[in-house]
Amino acid sequence: MLILLPPSEGKAAAGEGPALEPSGLVLPEVNGAREAVLESLEALCAGPRETAMEVLGLTAGQAGAVPRNLEVRTAPALRAAELYTGVLYDNLRLGELLAGPAAARTAESVLVFSGLWGVLGVNDRVPPYRLSMGVKLPPLGGLGAYWRSHLAEPLGKLAEDRLIVDCRSAAYAAAFRPSGAAAERTAAVRVLKETASGGTVKRSVVSHMAKATRGAIAHALLAQGRSPETPAELAEALNDLGHRAELSPPGRGGKASVLDVVIPG
């Protein structure tokens, strides 16, 4: 099983260990692509701050991210498991998983997508940075398309014969789109809120609670040692674990199945 996650906008303020060592990151075969993104980011942030902030989509209160991006090679690093914060990661509780019997399973199963690094394992050590997948980074262009061209082959090999539990947002899903047999083994997790009013039941897509729910179901699967091999087995496992999961069949053209996790309104 592979669980694909987005990063979080919120990150730890500083690392506490040695500086970045690119050779230690997952999928070292894409290190050339990582270097190209880092060089482009450094060039942008070394220029006019206003331009960098506009390209990176930063507010005035986030201006400190520009000089921080220039320190990526030398700043103290920390594990991705500790770098990313926010509601998804609060509910995923990676620190707890990596400190217990689920440590190896978690390290082997969880991948975090990143505008700067493409993809990271939870034990990969990187410093705080700011670069979202939705950025059009000169001269590379849109990072979703850039990373899709570099990640398709190595991630396709890594995902071979494994169930893919896709918990990513749309911007990060653009960086890797399972195809063929991999798409048949992929379940894209969607969270729906169900409310009843006047005898009518309605469902709606939610955002904030979706992050919490995706973190919670990932934690449950890893902590309980569940290893489903198909989207149907994934739905069954989540229902067994106390969630309400409903699987929709895949669409045409080799698309992934959609796994709806329904929460009360």
Side-chain angles (χ1 to χ4, degrees), residues 7 9-10 20 22 28 39-41 48 66 81 92 99 129-130 137 145 155 160 168 177 181 207 219-220 226 237:
E9 185 172 321
L20 171 71
E39 287 180 353
S40 299
L41 180 63
V66 176
L92 177 54
Y129 66 93
R130 184 64 179 251
L137 183 65
L155 269 183
E160 189 172 356
R168 297 173 296 168
R177 294 172 178 160
S207 56
H219 178 91
R226 294 302 184 99

Side-chain angles (χ1 to χ4, degrees), residues 79 93-103 106:
R79 294 190 305 174
R93 308 194 321 257
L94 280 171
E96 176 184 320
L97 291 169
L98 291 170
T106 301

